[in-house]
Amino acid sequence: MPQPLSLAVLLSGSGSTLQNLIDRIDDGSLNARVVCVIGSRADAYGLERARKRDIPAVLVARKEFADTQSFSNAVWSEIRKHNVDLVVMAGFMCLLEIPDDFENRVVNVHPGLIPAFCGKGMYGHHVHEAVIAYGAKLSGCTVHFANAKYDEGPIIMQASVPVLDDDTPDSLAERVQLKEREIYPQAIQLIAEGRVTIEGRRVHIRPA
Ligand code: GAR
């Protein structure tokens, strides 16, 4: 068994994505450890979840910073206090600049099938509302490497779900989140196993 992957988790909300990663680490299906959690909002319950598990958790409040650059600098100075292999965005609703040494070492999960229904303003329930309003028959989620633009980096894994006639944004969100809970830890485990390589926009996964 190789060394567990050291994760820094960035979040802005309830932290159910963080909790799922912690649960997968606990049940042995994800060979990682969460070494720090950074929240962008004071009311992000994810910070509380981390503290309950004695994981160092700090607030870097987005609203205290004038621009993306100064906010990003503050986030990276927290991340660099720890020995981090991979930065995991878990419901992190802020744009983040990514320094060269962390290129392809930041991952995100988006609650839609990129490149549809993504980009600025498309997050959380906005995605599900837009999918239903458009009349799409499929939605899903996407795990991808993050770059300095919203939802744009190379795609690691996607999973689809049907959109049902009587779906509300909440019911669709629930179905999509079940898939997120499966594929996000799976994708991170593939990275932990060293099986993920990137060629331009294409991500290759080496068979076990
Ligand atoms: C997740 O469903 C995630 O897909 C979405 O926010 C939710 C966070 O839930 N992320 C985005 O929309 C990012 N563009 P959580 O705060 O309970 O982990």
Side-chain angles (χ1 to χ4, degrees), residues 12-13 40-41 89-95 108-114 116-131 140 144 150-151 169-170 173 176-177 180:
S12 305
S40 67
R41 297 171 55 110
M89 294 178 166
F92 187 63
M93 305 307 182
C94 308
L95 209 53
N108 182 43
V109 64
H110 177 74
L113 292 174
I114 291 174
F117 305 107
C118 63
K120 193 168 165 48
M122 276 291 178
Y123 57 87
H125 68 101
H126 298 291
V127 178
H128 308 301
E129 280 165 13
V131 166
H144 64 97
Y150 286 112
D151 307 323
D170 282 347
V176 168
Q177 277 181 355
E180 289 183 32

Side-chain angles (χ1 to χ4, degrees), residues 30-181:
L30 176 57
N31 184 28
R33 60 202 172 100
V34 181
V35 296
C36 69
V37 169
I38 298 167
S40 67
R41 297 171 55 110
D43 61 357
Y45 181 66
L47 287 169
E48 217 33 60
R49 292 185 197 261
R51 289 185 188 120
K52 281 188 184 151
R53 292 294 301 252
D54 293 323
I55 299 167
V58 292
L59 169 67
V60 181
R62 177 64 184 86
K63 67 175 187 186
E64 304 294 329
F65 296 87
D67 52 29
T68 301
Q69 190 182 17
S70 56
F71 172 69
S72 302
N73 289 344
V75 169
W76 287 106
S77 77
E78 287 301 330
I79 292 171
R80 289 187 194 285
K81 289 179 184 167
H82 307 270
N83 204 355
V84 170
D85 298 315
L86 186 73
V87 176
V88 177
M89 294 178 166
F92 187 63
M93 305 307 182
C94 308
L95 209 53
L96 187 75
E97 291 183 353
I98 298 173
D100 288 350
D101 61 325
F102 270 88
E103 195 189 352
N104 298 329
R105 288 208 286 147
V106 181
V107 290
N108 182 43
V109 64
H110 177 74
L113 292 174
I114 291 174
F117 305 107
C118 63
K120 193 168 165 48
M122 276 291 178
Y123 57 87
H125 68 101
H126 298 291
V127 178
H128 308 301
E129 280 165 13
V131 166
I132 291 170
Y134 196 87
K137 299 295 186 195
L138 278 179
S139 191
C141 55
T142 303
V143 178
H144 64 97
F145 288 106
N147 62 19
K149 295 195 184 140
Y150 286 112
D151 307 323
E152 202 213 54
I155 292 170
I156 306 167
M157 283 176 101
Q158 291 185 302
S160 63
V161 301
V163 181
L164 305 181
D165 270 358
D166 59 354
D167 260 332
T168 63
D170 282 347
S171 64
L172 180 56
E174 205 173 307
R175 197 173 309 117
V176 168
Q177 277 181 355
L178 283 175
K179 286 291 180 193
E180 289 183 32
R181 307 277 177 265

